[in-house]
Amino acid sequence: MNCLHICNDLLGSKVHENLYKSLKELEINQVIYHPLRKHSVDSINKLNPDSIGEVITSKVLHPLHRVFFTRKINFLYEDLQSKVDVKSFDIVHATTLFSDGALALKIFKEYKIPYIIAVRGTDINVFLKYRFDLLPLGKEILLNAKHVIFISDSLKNNFVRSGFKLSKPFITKKQIIIPNGLDSYWLNNVVTNRKKAKPKKFLYIGNFSYNKNVLRLVKAFLILSEKYENLTLNLVGKGGAEEEKIKDLALNNPEKIHFHGPIYDKIELQKIYLSNDIFAMVSIGETFGLVYVEALTQGLPILYTENQGIDGTFKEKVGVSANPKSINSIMVGMETLINNYPQFETETIDFSKFLWNDIAKTYLKLYSSILNERMY
């Protein structure tokens, strides 16, 4: 089986790299086509083709390609055809509906190679919100896709509630929910003896972009800290437009807010998790949010965004959701976690559905079923 992956965000997330590595271990012949932007040119050499398969990058995209979408797709299609024998592939796997799916659709139209697409947060929060001109193209991509993958229940529900309501009949029979996998370190070091004492320490791990919404989280925490004594908020990470404002708040509240900077070593990260009581991240938009699952493996209940990310993923009572645009809602969510701490269930969660090897096998079965249909 020869699979062509089209992946815009190969360098922006470890999720894709981990999936491709697991698929390669299942002996799938795969080529990964990565549209290249100027800022990522130096980072491409960090990838290891021996572990994930052959990586082919495009010519560097022009900044105007962000505006002129059709021109970008045509540019990439010509580039791809000049670098690989497109007709040699059995299946195409596009990691987004619009940016990658549009390229998969062009391949399908010319070569009749079946494709699957995944819907991600960017598709809903950017393209469906601001690129109404691309809605007909999006529907055509969905109509011709063999399967439509959603990373979470909340993402699927948001998609159906979005401007693509009319496309629901096209995808009802095609849609499949397949979560992202978790690094094996966390699955091999699950903590099942969570402390039940009244919590005092909140933790955030990530960047400080507007989307991660940490400024509202900090402001909500500071309001709550006036009501409860000895509360602390630990912030781990770096980068993003709100970082300096958040650092200033930490400097002005040294007893309450501790800014740790980035921590990459998993053993050190685990120590941070285990020294805190609650994980809090209330992003504006979230495709999935594996850091939530990391926190749950370490016994921390979570504060998460309502109708986003992992909302609806667990049957267990793992935490509380909040409206990301309301400081009061975030504060109330934090308070609910404090006052009901013993009720949250992290010890009984079955984390096996986040094994990358099993997820890769699910994709392999999907690919195989599509190819079997093609033969008959």
Side-chain angles (χ1 to χ4, degrees), residues 88-149:
S88 68
F89 294 103
D90 301 305
I91 193 165
V92 175
H93 183 165
T95 63
T96 63
L97 167 58
F98 285 97
S99 293
D100 298 330
L103 199 51
L105 177 64
K106 285 187 76 71
I107 293 170
F108 174 75
K109 284 183 170 181
E110 181 165 351
Y111 297 99
K112 302 304 178 187
I113 299 172
Y115 65 91
I116 67 171
I117 61 107
V119 176
R120 288 190 144 75
T122 303
D123 293 311
I124 297 172
N125 300 322
V126 177
F127 283 93
L128 294 188
K129 268 190 177 181
Y130 304 112
R131 294 301 303 264
F132 300 112
D133 57 310
L134 297 178
L135 294 186
L137 174 63
K139 290 181 180 181
E140 187 178 6
I141 295 168
L142 287 169
L143 182 62
N144 288 285
K146 283 294 183 181
H147 291 287
V148 180
I149 311 299

Side-chain angles (χ1 to χ4, degrees), residues 231-253:
L231 291 186
T232 58
L233 173 61
N234 290 286
L235 304 172
V236 175
K238 71 169 185 176
E242 294 185 338
E243 182 175 9
E244 292 307 315
K245 290 181 181 179
I246 291 164
K247 280 183 176 179
D248 288 341
L249 285 171
L251 285 171
N252 292 330
N253 298 274

Side-chain angles (χ1 to χ4, degrees), residues 29-246:
N29 297 319
Q30 55 190 5
V31 171
I32 301 144
Y33 182 66
H34 173 55
L36 195 62
R37 293 164 180 81
K38 187 175 180 180
H39 64 79
S40 58
V41 171
D42 295 334
S43 301
I44 195 68
N45 294 326
K46 295 178 181 179
L47 296 171
N48 181 7
D50 291 336
S51 65
I52 64 174
E54 184 180 2
V55 178
I56 296 173
T57 58
S58 73
K59 298 175 185 175
V60 177
L61 289 165
H62 192 280
L64 287 175
H65 281 137
R66 296 189 66 177
V67 179
F68 299 105
F69 185 84
T70 301
R71 188 181 299 179
K72 178 183 78 170
I73 298 303
N74 290 336
F75 170 85
L76 291 173
Y77 191 55
E78 290 179 10
D79 179 81
L80 175 64
Q81 288 181 304
S82 72
K83 293 174 177 175
V84 298
D85 180 11
V86 177
K87 64 179 179 296
S88 68
F89 294 103
D90 301 305
I91 193 165
V92 175
H93 183 165
T95 63
T96 63
L97 167 58
F98 285 97
S99 293
D100 298 330
L103 199 51
L105 177 64
K106 285 187 76 71
I107 293 170
F108 174 75
K109 284 183 170 181
E110 181 165 351
Y111 297 99
K112 302 304 178 187
I113 299 172
Y115 65 91
I116 67 171
I117 61 107
V119 176
R120 288 190 144 75
T122 303
D123 293 311
I124 297 172
N125 300 322
V126 177
F127 283 93
L128 294 188
K129 268 190 177 181
Y130 304 112
R131 294 301 303 264
F132 300 112
D133 57 310
L134 297 178
L135 294 186
L137 174 63
K139 290 181 180 181
E140 187 178 6
I141 295 168
L142 287 169
L143 182 62
N144 288 285
K146 283 294 183 181
H147 291 287
V148 180
I149 311 299
F150 293 96
I151 310 302
S152 65
D153 290 274
S154 64
L155 202 64
K156 183 193 75 172
N157 295 335
N158 286 337
F159 185 77
V160 172
R161 284 194 292 262
S162 72
F164 263 33
K165 288 179 182 177
L166 293 176
S167 70
K168 188 178 178 182
F170 299 156
I171 65 171
T172 299
K173 295 179 180 179
K174 301 179 181 183
Q175 62 191 25
I176 303 171
I177 296 174
I178 305 177
N180 289 329
L182 195 62
D183 189 284
S184 59
Y185 179 86
W186 305 108
L187 297 173
N188 294 332
N189 292 278
V190 174
V191 174
T192 57
N193 56 339
R194 177 170 64 90
K195 53 188 177 183
K196 301 289 186 178
K198 198 162 188 178
K200 297 287 185 182
K201 296 180 179 181
F202 288 86
L203 172 67
Y204 168 82
I205 298 175
N207 64 47
F208 302 99
S209 64
Y210 289 122
N211 183 60
K212 290 300 182 183
N213 203 35
V214 185
L215 196 56
R216 283 196 184 99
L217 176 69
V218 171
K219 289 178 179 179
F221 168 80
L222 288 173
I223 295 170
L224 189 66
S225 68
E226 296 298 319
K227 188 174 181 179
Y228 295 86
E229 293 183 353
N230 302 319
L231 291 186
T232 58
L233 173 61
N234 290 286
L235 304 172
V236 175
K238 71 169 185 176
E242 294 185 338
E243 182 175 9
E244 292 307 315
K245 290 181 181 179
I246 291 164

Side-chain angles (χ1 to χ4, degrees), residues 199-338:
K200 297 287 185 182
K201 296 180 179 181
F202 288 86
L203 172 67
Y204 168 82
I205 298 175
N207 64 47
F208 302 99
S209 64
Y210 289 122
N211 183 60
K212 290 300 182 183
N213 203 35
V214 185
L215 196 56
R216 283 196 184 99
L217 176 69
V218 171
K219 289 178 179 179
F221 168 80
L222 288 173
I223 295 170
L224 189 66
S225 68
E226 296 298 319
K227 188 174 181 179
Y228 295 86
E229 293 183 353
N230 302 319
L231 291 186
T232 58
L233 173 61
N234 290 286
L235 304 172
V236 175
K238 71 169 185 176
E242 294 185 338
E243 182 175 9
E244 292 307 315
K245 290 181 181 179
I246 291 164
K247 280 183 176 179
D248 288 341
L249 285 171
L251 285 171
N252 292 330
N253 298 274
E255 294 182 358
K256 297 178 179 180
I257 303 173
H258 304 149
F259 192 96
H260 297 268
I263 298 175
Y264 301 111
D265 182 80
K266 292 184 179 65
I267 295 174
E268 293 303 313
L269 272 176
Q270 186 179 27
K271 289 178 182 177
I272 287 284
Y273 277 123
L274 295 178
S275 65
N276 283 275
D277 304 309
I278 294 166
F279 180 80
M281 184 173 78
V282 194
S283 308
I284 300 296
E286 196 71 57
T287 295
F288 189 71
L290 281 173
V291 68
Y292 292 122
V293 188
E294 284 183 12
L296 290 170
T297 67
Q298 301 308 297
L300 275 66
I302 56 177
L303 178 68
Y304 56 94
T305 309
E306 62 183 8
N307 301 320
Q308 292 282 336
I310 67 163
D311 194 1
T313 297
F314 296 96
K315 295 179 181 178
E316 296 86 355
K317 188 176 182 181
V318 298
V320 175
S321 67
N323 178 350
K325 297 186 178 180
S326 167
I327 291 173
N328 184 67
S329 177
I330 296 170
M331 188 271 291
V332 169
M334 291 175 134
E335 187 171 25
T336 301
L337 283 159
I338 289 174

